[in-house]
Amino acid sequence: MAKSRKKWSQDVTGRSDAMDLKKGVFESDDPKKIARSVKHSAEESDRRKSSPFRAAMSMLTFYINRAGNQLTKKRRGTLEKAKDELRKDFGRQPKD
């Protein structure tokens, strides 16, 4: 194959109608920073089709699921903590 093809998930992340994410948001080591950024993007988006909480949580979960086995345990842990921080930021109970 001479030409490499983008994965559909990369295309969705880059051109999602749900919201515009800050470049490199998922690369941070700070779960609170990730959560704040995703929350801000969801609240500012006028293209999302659900509540800001659902849009933000969906994008974070989508990223974790699409990365799959490529995530280290430490990285996955940081992203899972970001989900808990996102729940707190929206006034919801973190999962145990």
Side-chain angles (χ1 to χ4, degrees):
M1 217 177 177
K3 197 177 190 181
S4 67
R5 290 178 35 177
K6 280 179 144 179
K7 292 186 177 185
W8 69 267
S9 57
Q10 182 180 9
D11 190 45
V12 168
T13 303
R15 295 186 315 114
S16 173
D17 277 339
M19 63 182 126
D20 294 320
L21 295 171
K22 185 177 175 185
K23 186 171 175 83
V25 64
F26 297 120
E27 295 170 10
S28 174
D29 290 330
D30 183 0
K32 289 181 182 184
K33 185 176 180 181
I34 295 169
R36 277 193 313 263
S37 181
V38 174
K39 180 182 185 225
H40 176 75
S41 294
E43 290 176 334
E44 294 299 312
S45 176
D46 57 351
R47 296 176 294 161
R48 69 181 191 292
K49 295 178 181 156
S50 61
S51 71
F53 173 74
R54 286 186 63 187
M57 190 60 74
S58 292
M59 189 54 77
L60 187 51
T61 301
F62 174 81
Y63 181 81
I64 292 169
N65 289 344
R66 291 290 91 202
N69 293 333
Q70 302 299 317
L71 289 176
T72 64
K73 282 189 174 191
K74 181 180 179 185
R75 188 86 206 111
R76 182 177 294 274
T78 299
L79 294 169
E80 290 294 336
K81 287 178 186 174
K83 287 170 66 174
D84 287 338
E85 291 298 326
L86 191 60
R87 288 183 187 99
K88 287 181 197 175
D89 288 349
F90 277 102
R92 300 187 180 216
Q93 289 292 329
K95 293 208 174 182
D96 294 327

